[in-house]
Amino acid sequence: MTPASLLLALLSFSPPAEDAAEPPAPEVSDVDQHTREYDEALERVRTAQRMANEDPGRGSVQLRDALHLLQGFGPTLAKDPEGQDLRTMAQLTLARSLLATEEAEAAREAMDDAIRTSRGDPLPTKQFGPGLTALHKERAGALAKQASGTIEVECRIPCRVYINERPTQPQTDGLVPGTYRVWIEANDRSQPDVQTSVEIGEGLVAPIEFGIAPEPPPELPPKKPKRIMPRWAEVVLMTAGAAAVGTGAALWAIDGTCPNGVDPTDTDACPQVYITKTAGIATLAIGGAALLSGTIMLTVDEVRAGSDRGSEVALTWRVQF
């Protein structure tokens, strides 16, 4: 290679570009994750159902496990009508598969679970042949002869209740005896969900408590009643009124009398007499009003305050004529 060609090769050479960094995987929200897992559980039931139809012995095991997995999505399944229909068909497929493998007792248990889950809704057993129809008739009759029970959930906070992955009321009556799956969730999701199994006996009530009720707010001390006037002002008003009443009464009493106490008709000895009637009446009226107002206000305020001090305000005066 000539120097010129070597130089040209060096100039045209470029190092291999570094592998472009892979874009970060999009974040998956909890809701999306839950939806994906629920869809996978439904698909697993469909697959196990097909397997049970083709190979009842092996498929029944797979189908039982798939149904158990689906039960872990209680509230989601309860709100999905198509999922409910799929679950019903899978339950009946399981019962038929167990019948086909001569597992009679397990088939009865599977049918009982389907009956308890349906809670009176018709089951499409005719689609599965006469054998399953006969099993359903037998088990429905046997369960109907037993006294029904009740699941009673005490929601200490607003909550939703699901029994066998179906929405229901906090108190659910008419349940045939057997085992029920109960799922309870708070409406505001403020407290963890509760999942439990409840065994219902004939005529029995199964009580369940859910949620911790919030503590009531502390009681505030009662507000002190607002007074019309300060107590001291009411007492002063009464005292001033009483004094004015006494003064007015005295002025009225000395009206027309002589200052030195002599006979007012003796003009020589008593050239001037008191003319105080008008002033006495006015002073008496003003003082009476003040005394009455102060007394009323003090009485009202003391009653409002619920005073138990036994305090009394007594005002006594004496006017001599």
Side-chain angles (χ1 to χ4, degrees):
M1 180 179 291
T2 64
S5 60
L6 178 60
L7 178 60
L8 181 60
L10 291 174
L11 292 175
S12 61
F13 173 78
S14 59
E18 295 182 0
D19 294 339
E22 294 184 1
E27 293 185 1
V28 179
S29 68
D30 292 341
V31 175
D32 293 339
Q33 179 72 14
H34 178 84
T35 301
R36 186 173 65 187
E37 292 175 354
Y38 174 67
D39 291 340
E40 291 174 354
L42 291 175
E43 187 58 33
R44 182 171 174 178
V45 171
R46 294 187 187 98
T47 302
Q49 190 174 2
R50 289 192 296 269
M51 183 181 296
N53 288 327
E54 298 169 359
D55 183 355
R58 193 161 60 95
S60 61
V61 176
Q62 299 294 331
L63 188 53
R64 183 185 287 111
D65 293 342
L67 283 170
H68 181 74
L69 176 65
L70 187 60
Q71 292 165 8
F73 298 86
T76 306
L77 178 58
K79 301 167 188 173
D80 180 11
E82 293 182 2
Q84 290 280 337
D85 291 341
L86 173 63
R87 191 262 300 272
T88 298
M89 300 299 286
Q91 287 177 319
L92 297 178
T93 300
L94 175 61
R96 185 178 63 178
S97 299
L98 294 169
L99 274 180
T101 54
E102 298 182 354
E103 298 179 65
E105 188 60 33
R108 293 189 188 95
E109 292 177 359
M111 180 58 72
D112 287 357
D113 186 54
I115 293 172
R116 284 192 293 267
T117 300
S118 68
R119 296 216 301 272
D121 291 346
L123 293 173
T125 54
K126 291 182 179 180
Q127 300 181 27
F128 293 82
L132 194 69
T133 301
L135 176 63
H136 173 252
K137 184 177 181 180
E138 172 200 335
R139 295 311 304 157
L143 293 174
K145 293 178 182 178
Q146 304 179 48
S148 62
T150 299
I151 292 178
E152 187 176 80
V153 179
E154 179 187 350
C155 290
R156 294 175 176 174
I157 60 173
C159 70
R160 290 182 288 265
V161 180
Y162 307 93
I163 294 179
N164 284 13
E165 301 80 50
R166 297 187 66 184
T168 186
Q169 299 298 318
Q171 178 169 321
T172 305
D173 303 313
L175 300 175
V176 298
T179 303
Y180 289 85
R181 300 176 297 277
V182 181
W183 189 309
I184 313 169
E185 64 178 6
N187 288 0
D188 58 3
R189 310 312 301 269
S190 61
Q191 298 185 23
D193 295 358
V194 168
Q195 302 177 54
T196 185
S197 293
V198 178
E199 187 70 26
I200 295 297
E202 294 187 52
L204 299 179
V205 176
I208 303 175
E209 297 179 353
F210 174 76
I212 301 175
E215 295 184 2
E219 293 185 4
L220 299 177
K223 293 183 178 180
K224 190 176 181 180
K226 188 176 181 181
R227 300 184 68 92
I228 301 173
M229 291 179 65
R231 193 169 186 275
W232 63 267
E234 292 166 344
V235 174
V236 169
L237 183 62
M238 291 174 58
T239 304
V245 168
T247 301
L251 291 174
W252 194 352
I254 66 174
D255 179 67
T257 62
C258 189
N260 55 13
V262 297
D263 185 0
T265 59
D266 186 353
T267 56
D268 293 332
C270 184
Q272 293 181 337
V273 295
Y274 291 116
I275 305 176
T276 57
K277 181 177 181 180
T278 301
I281 292 174
T283 304
L284 185 61
I286 294 172
L291 176 61
L292 181 61
S293 298
T295 302
I296 291 175
M297 287 189 290
L298 180 61
T299 301
V300 170
D301 282 341
E302 290 300 315
V303 170
R304 282 181 180 176
S307 175
D308 58 353
R309 298 186 302 271
S311 59
E312 296 180 354
V313 177
L315 217 58
T316 306
W317 69 93
R318 183 176 60 185
V319 179
Q320 294 181 347
F321 297 94

